[in-house]
Amino acid sequence: MTARRFAVVRITAGLLIIAVLGYGYGAQVEAGGSSPFDYFGYFTNQTNLLASVVLIITGTVVLTGRRIPVWLSNVRGVATTCLLVVAVIYNLLIPGAGSAPPVVSAILHIAFPLVVALDWLLVGDRRPLAWPRLWLVVPYPLLWLLVVLVRGVTDGWVPYGFLLPERGLVSLGVHVVALLGTLLAAGALVWAASRSPGLWLRAHVDW
């Protein structure tokens, strides 16, 4: 497959996921109402949106004939890491569609994370990520956690039950540490995978 075809596939996949997120939000509204702030308060929805935008940008860069810049490879690595965490936590700890339509849940928690992970591993248009930059996987999820915790003690809304303030500081602390540990472990896998030459498009990375 040529670089342009990969670019079109990535852009199409990103747009499809944005459409799925829109459909999921519409279903939530029909089921009783949900503000966009609540809907995108879920790490799953935020991360799928982030990864979609990154894929669209990556595809657009390739279509314009430019090499993928280092900063975009770093952002793509962070998005891939976060989607891996979404897949692992959902499928091991909190399976079930919840309030989302089952097909939407399956796409956001299984199908798209798998597509993004395979894209990262098999398509070589990304440079090996520098290990000292592994810390880049932390700021976005940490900011998300802080916002969620503030909301939990102010308006009482949290996206996941294990983050409820009434569970106590010890339980909350254990879950936060576990989440960050899972994030760093997933990031290490993504950083290590960036050293794989991939099967296609190695020449399109900006070294």
Side-chain angles (χ1 to χ4, degrees):
M1 187 180 292
T2 65
R4 291 184 65 84
R5 288 181 179 177
F6 271 113
V8 170
V9 169
R10 283 169 169 163
I11 292 171
T12 302
L15 292 174
L16 284 174
I17 294 302
I18 291 174
V20 168
L21 288 167
Y23 172 78
Y25 177 67
Q28 292 260 343
V29 172
E30 288 184 5
S34 176
S35 74
F37 193 49
D38 288 350
Y39 183 71
F40 286 101
Y42 285 88
F43 191 68
T44 293
N45 296 339
Q46 279 190 22
T47 301
N48 274 271
L49 180 60
L50 169 65
S52 298
V53 172
V54 170
L55 280 188
I56 292 170
I57 294 174
T58 302
T60 302
V61 168
V62 174
L63 278 181
T64 58
R66 293 175 291 170
R67 295 180 184 273
I68 297 175
V70 174
W71 69 264
L72 185 53
S73 292
N74 286 327
V75 174
R76 191 172 153 217
V78 171
T80 303
T81 297
C82 291
L83 269 188
L84 285 180
V85 172
V86 165
V88 168
I89 291 180
Y90 174 82
N91 290 288
L92 294 183
L93 299 180
I94 50 175
S99 58
V103 65
V104 171
S105 187
I107 290 172
L108 299 183
H109 293 105
I110 302 172
F112 192 51
L114 180 60
V115 167
V116 170
L118 290 176
D119 179 51
W120 180 261
L121 180 64
L122 299 178
V123 184
D125 55 351
R126 72 284 183 272
R127 62 171 294 157
L129 303 183
W131 284 109
R133 293 184 178 177
L134 181 59
W135 65 270
L136 290 172
V137 304
V138 174
Y140 157 57
L142 188 59
L143 178 61
W144 173 82
L145 270 173
L146 291 174
V147 172
V148 166
L149 293 178
V150 169
R151 289 200 64 187
V153 298
T154 53
D155 62 18
W157 185 91
V158 295
Y160 307 109
F162 56 82
L163 294 175
L164 285 168
E166 54 262 35
R167 290 182 178 268
L169 289 178
V170 173
S171 174
L172 191 59
V174 168
H175 281 97
V176 168
V177 170
L179 282 172
L180 293 178
T182 302
L183 181 74
L184 288 172
L189 287 175
V190 170
W191 256 242
S194 73
R195 281 146 179 79
S196 167
L199 297 179
W200 305 283
L201 307 188
R202 192 63 178 176
H204 287 265
V205 64
D206 182 3
W207 294 92

